Amino acid sequence: MDKSSLENLVNDINTEEMLKEKLFYTKKHAAEILTQDEIDAAFDFCKGYREFLDYAKTERRAVAFAENLAKQNGFVEFEAGVKYNKGDKVYLNNRGKAIILAVIGEKSLYEGVKISAAHIDSPRLDLKPNPLYEDTELALFKTHYYGGIRKYQWTAIPLSLHGVFAKKDGSVIEVNIGEDENDPVFIVNDLLPHLAGEQSKRTLSQGIKGEELNILIGSKPFKDDSESELVKLSILNILYDKYGITEDDFLSAELEAVPAFKAKDVGFDRSMIGAYGHDDRVCAYPALTAILDIENPQKTAVVVLADKEEIGSQGNTGLESDFLRFFIRDLAIMQGGDGTVALRNSRCLSADVNAGMDPTFQDV
């Protein structure tokens, strides 16, 4: 090959490389596109995220967290019929299980609003309406699982109990047991390896069956050997002394069991967070903190943190209901506009968790 041909070949190669660099999409590692200051800011932001993960393990707790932060940042409870002005900050608590936050914009709602939506419910174990029973001198709760869980992952780990008892007199008693380091925790039993011969023959999805997800809550009998179900009686006596509840109150209770683990840094470099409930608090927390920082937006900014996504967004706190549409309609009416037109001109970023690549299971 003569010199001229070699130069042409080199030029062609350089041209191809330049075109590829210009036209191809090249996936880059975060370290290539983030500055050290941005990485430090991300780590700092996640300190608050870990606190959110530890506190907001249920949708009720997430709403309580969001409402408290909103009040601290100048948000007031929304009132239908009140005309709000640009820069006003309002929130709507929907039955303690979903929440909307809004900052009124300079432009009319006729021009639409900007919405960020995420969900705050996560897969868990719910107690059945009449859950407490005694068997072989142990007291347990019957459960049914909420959302998609891998049932074998819920055995032999510490569980905490959250929720409310709605009593006949109209009062509501909040329950939060197992998160404080001095609290007791609860567990779902599993078999010892040398007793699990038959269980080990099951498929992985059936290793633990739904009806076997019973939560162990006590073993100490009441100090009276003349009656049956003494362990159950002992548990009910403890609950009555602490909360003033009887077994009938479980019929109107809403109680959820979740992992009692705290959020922890993962890896020598602390570059990851291990915790229950990333789905979808990893989106809910940034949406919440973003709207807290907004001042005088052009268009009204709205964040909705919703319940029931894990089971199809049904119910009056899920996004299949009309609570968000009614909220925007009410705001539009207060400005003399049309709620339908406001919705038609709105845009929504609906964000949910995504799974990272696991090098061990790349085929999925």
Side-chain angles (χ1 to χ4, degrees), residues 43-280:
F43 272 73
D44 189 58
F45 179 81
C46 284
K47 293 176 183 176
Y49 177 51
R50 282 197 298 270
E51 293 176 3
F52 181 65
L53 287 169
D54 285 343
Y55 183 91
K57 289 188 176 181
T58 67
E59 71 287 350
R60 288 186 182 276
R61 301 272 287 177
V63 167
F65 185 99
E67 183 175 4
N68 184 52
L69 266 186
K71 289 178 178 178
Q72 292 177 23
N73 285 270
F75 284 72
V76 298
E77 192 168 3
F78 172 77
E79 293 182 48
V82 174
K83 185 175 182 179
Y84 294 103
N85 301 310
K86 64 179 182 180
D88 286 346
K89 301 178 178 182
V90 296
Y91 73 89
L92 174 67
N93 183 332
N94 182 9
R95 297 168 174 83
K97 301 177 69 176
I99 191 168
I100 302 173
L101 302 97
V103 181
I104 308 302
E106 293 185 18
K107 295 184 178 180
S108 167
L109 263 81
Y110 183 86
E111 299 186 47
V113 304
K114 292 189 174 182
I115 306 166
S116 178
H119 71 91
I120 47 177
D121 61 317
S122 294
R124 59 177 189 259
L125 300 181
D126 284 347
L127 268 57
K128 290 186 175 181
N130 189 22
L132 179 57
Y133 72 101
E134 179 177 336
D135 194 354
T136 60
E137 299 182 350
L138 295 173
L140 303 105
F141 280 146
K142 295 177 184 176
T143 72
H144 57 85
Y145 55 89
Y146 171 97
I149 68 170
R150 306 200 75 182
K151 295 183 282 292
Y152 70 88
Q153 294 180 340
W154 287 75
T155 64
I157 64 170
L159 301 174
S160 57
L161 193 65
H162 300 267
V164 293
F165 284 96
K167 293 177 65 64
K168 295 176 182 177
D169 62 5
S171 62
V172 175
I173 299 172
E174 184 176 352
V175 174
N176 175 19
I177 308 171
E179 297 296 339
D180 188 276
E181 62 180 31
N182 295 316
D183 284 351
V185 295
F186 314 97
I187 62 165
V188 174
N189 283 331
D190 198 0
L191 286 169
L192 295 168
H194 61 278
L195 298 177
E198 290 302 313
Q199 183 196 46
S200 298
K201 296 176 184 177
R202 299 178 184 178
T203 61
L204 181 62
S205 64
Q206 291 294 309
I208 296 293
K209 300 177 182 178
E211 60 268 25
E212 295 169 341
L213 292 171
N214 303 310
I215 300 174
L216 181 62
I217 60 170
S219 65
K220 183 180 178 181
F222 193 73
K223 51 184 179 182
D224 184 348
D225 59 4
S226 62
E227 299 290 337
S228 61
E229 296 188 296
L230 294 179
V231 181
K232 177 180 176 178
L233 179 60
S234 177
I235 297 300
L236 285 171
N237 188 54
I238 291 170
L239 292 174
Y240 184 77
D241 287 345
K242 184 168 184 177
Y243 299 108
I245 61 174
T246 66
E247 189 171 13
D248 284 349
D249 292 315
F250 279 98
L251 295 173
S252 56
E254 188 176 82
L255 299 169
E256 306 168 6
V258 299
F261 301 120
K262 301 293 186 184
K264 302 288 285 186
D265 291 334
V266 176
F268 287 116
D269 55 4
R270 298 179 177 268
S271 61
M272 298 166 282
I273 298 174
Y276 164 73
H278 282 305
D279 181 6
D280 182 31

Side-chain angles (χ1 to χ4, degrees), residues 6-21:
L6 182 60
E7 288 177 348
N8 289 335
L9 178 60
V10 170
N11 289 334
D12 288 342
I13 292 173
N14 288 339
T15 301
E16 288 175 3
E17 290 177 349
M18 290 172 63
L19 278 173
K20 285 182 178 179
E21 184 177 346

Side-chain angles (χ1 to χ4, degrees), residues 16 18-27:
E16 288 175 3
M18 290 172 63
L19 278 173
K20 285 182 178 179
E21 184 177 346
K22 180 179 179 180
L23 301 178
F24 281 15
Y25 166 72
T26 305
K27 189 174 181 180

